[in-house]
Amino acid sequence: MSIRHIVLWKLAAEDADTRALHAEQAAERLLALVGVVEEIQRMEVAPNVAYPATNWDLALVADFADVDALERYQAHPAHQEATAFVRSVVSDRAAIDLPI
């Protein structure tokens, strides 16, 4: 069963310009994993474009062959490096893994 991994983040910065910069930097790091982490079948990372007072700031949607592939992605050193940066700029995270 294929898996769609969806993650939402709230960025910690108080001002919109810094949040936008951190969203761009996080997206660049995460998207750079495509082609490095072979388990990634598809990945999109993008900032929120509407309702900033109530919506999450940044989203990731990625597809994997199965849960084992998702777990290998999460354990991959390149992913660990990217997520270290992401953790340094976010205040909250939500995730769900759906069958597709």
Side-chain angles (χ1 to χ4, degrees):
M1 165 182 35
S2 293
I3 299 293
R4 177 155 293 150
H5 179 60
I6 302 171
V7 184
L8 303 170
W9 293 281
K10 283 282 189 183
L11 297 166
E14 295 291 323
D15 66 284
D17 289 342
T18 303
R19 278 195 311 277
L21 175 63
H22 288 168
E24 180 182 336
Q25 292 171 330
E28 286 174 1
R29 284 170 168 81
L30 292 164
L31 290 169
L33 299 173
V34 177
V36 174
V37 181
E38 66 184 38
E39 286 80 7
I40 300 168
Q41 294 178 336
R42 175 184 154 282
M43 179 183 281
E44 296 177 49
V45 182
N48 178 57
V49 296
Y51 314 109
T54 57
N55 283 357
W56 293 79
D57 296 311
L58 184 66
L60 173 144
V61 178
D63 294 344
F64 299 90
D66 53 30
V67 173
D68 290 338
L70 173 60
E71 289 175 355
R72 288 191 302 275
Y73 156 78
Q74 291 178 331
H76 194 286
H79 176 260
Q80 292 295 314
E81 184 178 327
T83 58
F85 172 78
V86 173
R87 285 187 195 110
S88 77
V89 298
V90 302
S91 60
D92 205 359
R93 175 187 181 274
I96 190 167
D97 299 301
L98 308 172
I100 55 170

